[in-house]
Amino acid sequence: MPLPKEHTYTCSDYWSLPQDHRAELIDGHLYDMAPPSRIHQKLLMEIAGTILAYIKNNSGDCDVYPAPFAVNLDADAQNWVEPDISVICDKSKLTDRGCAGAPDWIIEITSPSTQGHDYLKKLWLYEKYGVREYWIINPSAKSVTVYDFEHGDSAGYSFDDEIPAAIYSSDLKINLSGLLD
């Protein structure tokens, strides 16, 4: 007796979801996304605002998009993710649906239910598809793990540290202490 076939989803399934249903499509599997916590949203807004202010103050060419914002990591449309923060410097990647290709910098704010996803599955995907820099922010541990894929480096930080953004030659440093108050 053959084993039942596992259903594989496509980008058509992803784009057919109800507008209020947040999910990600990774390698043909749909992963539902729970509503974010208040702390998650506070961090997202503060960090995105800090990055946006830096870009504007330095006449930068990158755009900052907070979630929900669809990112198609691969050309065959198998992987649609919604990073918490996406920084895109190549504006030719921007479409009406989101970003077609890897953003330069992705930030995920993890929760207990998404840690395995953020630290394993997305880490592998983001490196594979050419994201230059990936931050995983863990509010409960007050820690940040930074992967600088462009230079093959990684480092861990606490919320009290000045965390350098590698895509800006460490000119931009973000301190998360006090953001949870």
Side-chain angles (χ1 to χ4, degrees):
M1 177 175 191
L3 292 173
K5 289 189 176 182
E6 189 174 303
H7 185 74
T8 301
Y9 293 93
T10 67
C11 64
S12 295
D13 298 312
Y14 173 79
W15 286 106
S16 296
L17 292 171
Q19 192 162 4
D20 63 344
H21 185 137
R22 291 191 57 216
E24 294 180 308
L25 176 66
I26 299 176
D27 294 330
H29 299 279
L30 279 174
Y31 295 91
D32 287 329
M33 299 172 69
S37 70
R38 178 192 61 80
I39 290 170
H40 177 283
Q41 291 302 92
K42 182 170 178 63
L43 282 169
L44 180 135
M45 294 304 294
E46 294 286 343
I47 296 164
T50 299
I51 296 167
L52 182 60
Y54 172 84
I55 291 168
K56 286 184 174 194
N57 290 338
N58 290 282
S59 303
D61 291 329
C62 303
D63 286 339
V64 180
Y65 292 92
F69 180 73
V71 173
N72 176 217
L73 291 169
D74 56 346
D76 62 4
Q78 288 286 327
N79 294 293
W80 285 89
V81 294
E82 290 188 16
D84 290 316
I85 300 173
S86 300
V87 178
I88 299 144
C89 301
D90 180 355
K91 294 189 194 246
S92 71
K93 292 180 179 180
L94 296 173
T95 71
D96 288 342
R97 287 197 158 172
C99 180
D104 294 270
W105 182 11
I106 287 178
I107 297 172
E108 295 283 8
I109 302 166
T110 196
S111 67
S113 66
T114 65
Q115 283 183 9
H117 212 59
D118 294 334
Y119 284 100
L120 299 172
K121 188 174 291 287
K122 286 186 174 182
L123 171 64
W124 177 81
L125 274 177
Y126 294 160
E127 183 175 22
K128 177 182 178 183
Y129 288 108
V131 171
R132 293 170 52 199
E133 184 168 358
Y134 175 39
W135 287 23
I136 305 172
I137 298 173
N138 187 327
S140 60
K142 294 191 177 181
S143 67
V144 180
T145 305
V146 173
Y147 295 93
D148 177 0
F149 297 132
E150 189 172 41
H151 300 102
D153 294 330
S154 65
Y157 299 91
S158 80
F159 276 25
D160 294 325
D161 294 325
E162 293 285 325
I163 306 167
I167 70 164
Y168 292 111
S169 302
S170 301
D171 187 34
L172 169 61
K173 293 180 174 63
I174 298 176
N175 182 297
L176 303 177
S177 65
L179 293 184
L180 297 178
D181 297 337

